[in-house]
């Protein structure tokens, strides 16, 4: 059976001529539907939208909205809101992808000064071997990094870098932004990169057993922890960043990372420890950068991230974390009492963070043109 739809339009209605062919038999009928009648038949609207020609642009737009709902014209506003949300999400994803890697001034920047600047200063010029390897790696990363990872490379010295990792969902670091200074030694890739965390509450807060207040990052791939180490032929900086994201910042109960505390997983003590880490994330991985700005080259990304997560933070995450932190207290709840203390009050941190989030302005993202994609020419066969 073959069905052909012919469309004629006028101001008040849409007239559709349907030809149904069954072998040698033909039946023809003309169906007229007003916009409101079409609204009660989402399936009809969906099929009609599929076969309309590119010349009927306004009708296609109208029917696209109708096809998504069977409740009538009253849902058009909701449909528009969903479309806007989808466009915003796509624009944000595009913005993230286009800005996942960038070249900025890091070596001479003093806010903050790069952790490895003195070491890098002793190296005069980069070898062709090192430049070749860095060019390949950075070029590959420019094609896309895993979601939540961003890298900035010094515009004059490719061996000096800084990375930002967004705390994964489900961990006590969720939606926080954590910064790491990176230096590629002159003998790289024969040796691993050097990496230190700089989100430490000015050296006062320890976020994880593998993240020291002095910046040390404990990972076997960096040679700072036991286990499979750096493999010059296969290991890359991307693997280092992924390891930090998944094995450190992605752990739901970080108390498990501390030798001798593994048995506490699932316990009240682990829950309280998470509450302290959640306060630290709100204080030092959110509020600090909202109030003081992010390091060079990351400010737009940070503002876009917090704007995108603002409703989630204000309505759900912050209230839940506030309760968890207040329940946790700040003494004897984790492996590092002196480095896991809640300074001030939880309420002060939450109040300031809430105010900072509410002051955020929408990011200036380049939106796609408000035009439908061109229909495939093969659709013309439906007429």
């Amino acid at each position: 059976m073959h069905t052909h739809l012919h469309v004629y339009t006028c101001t008040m209605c849409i007239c559709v001529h349907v030809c149904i062919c069954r072998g040698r038999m033909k039946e023809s009928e003309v169906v007229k539907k007003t916009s409101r009648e079409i609204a009660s038949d989402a399936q009809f609207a969906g099929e009609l939208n599929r076969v309309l020609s590119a010349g009927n642009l306004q009708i296609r737009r109208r029917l696209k909205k109708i096809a998504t709902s069977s409740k009538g014209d009253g849902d058009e506003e909701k449909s528009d809101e969903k479309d806007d949300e989808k466009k915003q999400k796509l624009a944000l994803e595009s913005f993230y992808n286009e800005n996942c890697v960038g070249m900025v001034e890091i070596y001479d920047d003093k806010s903050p000064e790069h952790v490895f600047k003195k070491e890098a200063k002793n190296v005069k010029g980069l070898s062709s071997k090192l430049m070749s390897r860095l060019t390949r790696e950075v070029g590959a990363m420019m094609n896309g990094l895993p979601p939540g990872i961003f890298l900035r490379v010094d515009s004059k010295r490719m061996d000096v870098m800084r990375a930002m990792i967004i705390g994964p969902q489900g961990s006590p670091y969720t939606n926080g932004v954590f910064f790491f200074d990176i230096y590629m030694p002159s003998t790289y890739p024969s040796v691993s990169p050097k990496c230190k965390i700089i989100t430490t509450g000015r050296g006062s807060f320890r976020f994880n057993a593998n993240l020291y207040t002095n910046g040390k990052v404990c990972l076997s791939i960096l040679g700072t922890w036991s286990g499979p180490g750096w493999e010059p032929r296969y290991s890359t900086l991307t693997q280092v960043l992924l390891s930090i994201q998944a094995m450190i910042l992605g752990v739901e109960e970080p108390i498990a990372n501390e030798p001798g505390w593994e048995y506490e997983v699932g316990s009240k003590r682990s829950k309280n420890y998470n509450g302290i880490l959640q306060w630290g994330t709100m204080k030092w991985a959110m509020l600090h950068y909202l109030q003081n700005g992010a390091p060079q080259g990351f400010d737009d990304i940070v503002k876009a991230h917090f704007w995108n997560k603002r409703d989630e933070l204000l309505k759900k995450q912050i209230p839940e974390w506030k309760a968890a932190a207040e329940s946790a207290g700040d003494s004897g709840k984790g492996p590092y009492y002196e480095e896991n203390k809640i300074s001030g009050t939880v309420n002060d941190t939450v109040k300031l963070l809430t105010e900072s989030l509410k002051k955020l302005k929408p990011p200036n993202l380049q939106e796609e043109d408000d035009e439908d994609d061109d229909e495939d020419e093969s659709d013309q066969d439906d007429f």
Side-chain angles (χ1 to χ4, degrees):
M1 182 177 70
H2 303 285
T3 303
H4 302 282
L5 277 70
H6 302 279
V7 182
Y8 311 88
T9 64
C10 65
T11 304
M12 298 302 295
C13 69
I14 300 172
C15 180
V16 185
H17 181 254
V18 184
C19 296
I20 304 174
C21 304
R22 294 187 179 89
R24 297 181 180 180
M25 301 292 293
K26 276 193 178 181
E27 298 178 11
S28 298
E29 62 178 304
V30 175
V31 181
K32 289 187 178 180
K33 288 180 178 284
T34 66
S35 294
R36 290 191 178 278
E37 288 173 327
I38 288 175
S40 66
D41 188 352
Q43 185 176 3
F44 177 86
E47 176 63 15
L48 186 60
N49 174 61
R50 186 181 70 82
V51 299
L52 284 173
S53 68
N56 291 309
L57 181 60
Q58 296 302 320
I59 298 297
R60 289 195 303 119
R61 288 180 174 174
R62 167 75 172 161
L63 290 173
K64 265 192 174 179
K65 294 176 182 178
I66 294 172
T68 61
S69 171
S70 60
K71 296 181 180 180
D73 294 333
D75 280 350
E76 286 184 22
E77 291 185 4
K78 292 182 180 179
S79 179
D80 287 340
E81 289 177 3
K82 289 182 179 180
D83 287 344
D84 290 342
E85 290 176 3
K86 185 177 181 180
K87 287 180 181 178
Q88 178 73 8
K89 183 178 180 180
L90 291 173
L92 191 65
E93 289 177 356
S94 177
F95 176 73
Y96 285 162
N97 290 335
E98 291 174 3
N99 292 277
C100 63
V101 178
M103 307 288 284
V104 298
E105 187 178 281
I106 300 175
Y107 181 78
D108 292 324
D109 185 37
K110 298 185 184 298
S111 57
E113 185 171 271
H114 198 274
V115 171
F116 298 103
K117 181 175 181 177
K118 291 182 179 179
E119 186 171 349
K121 191 175 182 179
N122 294 326
V123 177
K124 306 297 182 182
L126 306 182
S127 67
S128 58
K129 180 180 178 181
L130 177 59
M131 281 297 298
S132 177
R133 175 64 180 249
L134 293 179
T135 300
R136 288 200 307 273
E137 280 202 47
V138 173
M141 288 186 282
M142 282 182 171
N143 290 326
L145 279 169
I149 298 178
F150 301 88
L151 183 71
R152 296 294 177 263
V153 182
D154 186 81
S155 53
K156 296 179 181 178
R157 296 205 44 167
M158 289 188 71
D159 55 338
V160 177
M161 307 179 186
R162 181 168 284 152
M164 183 186 88
I165 301 177
I166 297 174
Q169 295 291 319
S171 75
Y173 314 110
T174 299
N175 290 325
V177 292
F178 298 84
F179 290 90
F180 299 82
D181 277 1
I182 299 164
Y183 174 63
M184 317 300 275
S186 58
T187 53
Y188 182 84
S190 296
V191 298
S192 67
K194 294 189 176 183
C195 177
K196 285 193 174 184
I197 184 171
I198 60 173
T199 303
T200 61
R202 301 189 182 98
S204 68
F205 194 85
R206 186 165 183 169
F207 278 101
N208 191 284
N210 297 74
L211 302 173
Y212 289 42
T213 53
N214 66 5
K216 183 179 179 181
V217 177
C218 286
L219 277 176
S220 62
I221 196 171
L222 293 174
T224 51
W225 194 251
S226 59
W230 178 264
E231 172 51 60
R233 290 178 298 173
Y234 307 112
S235 299
T236 64
L237 177 59
T238 300
Q239 291 176 344
V240 172
L241 298 176
L242 270 172
S243 296
I244 295 173
Q245 183 188 53
M247 299 171 64
I248 299 179
L249 297 178
V251 179
E252 293 184 10
E253 294 186 64
I255 205 167
N257 284 14
E258 180 60 32
W261 289 76
E262 301 94 331
Y263 63 91
E264 293 285 1
V265 171
S267 70
K268 173 76 172 173
R269 197 167 196 177
S270 178
K271 183 178 180 181
N272 287 338
Y273 182 43
N274 270 22
I276 296 172
L277 296 177
Q278 288 165 340
W279 170 84
T281 298
M282 289 190 291
K283 171 75 173 179
W284 297 113
M286 294 183 186
L287 178 60
H288 176 73
Y289 295 116
L290 285 169
Q291 287 185 325
N292 302 290
Q296 175 88 329
F298 292 97
D299 205 48
D300 288 343
I301 292 288
V302 168
K303 289 178 180 177
H305 163 66
F306 284 121
W307 170 264
N308 181 45
K309 296 294 183 179
R310 188 172 69 161
D311 287 347
E312 175 186 325
L313 286 164
L314 292 173
K315 295 176 182 178
K316 189 175 187 295
Q317 185 173 329
I318 292 176
E320 290 179 356
W321 281 18
K322 177 178 182 289
E326 288 176 335
S327 175
D330 65 352
S331 61
K333 306 299 183 183
Y336 310 103
Y337 166 63
E338 290 299 326
E339 297 175 323
N340 288 133
K341 294 181 68 173
I342 296 178
S343 57
T345 67
V346 173
N347 193 58
D348 288 341
T349 300
V350 168
K351 180 182 178 182
L352 291 171
L353 178 56
T354 299
E355 291 174 353
S356 297
L357 287 168
K358 288 182 176 180
K359 290 178 182 177
L360 279 175
K361 296 180 180 180
N364 183 21
L365 304 180
Q366 184 176 359
E367 297 184 358
E368 296 178 1
D369 293 335
D370 186 21
E371 295 182 3
D372 289 7
D373 293 332
D374 293 336
E375 298 289 335
D376 193 293
E377 292 182 0
S378 61
D379 287 343
Q380 300 297 327
D381 295 337
D382 290 330
F383 290 86

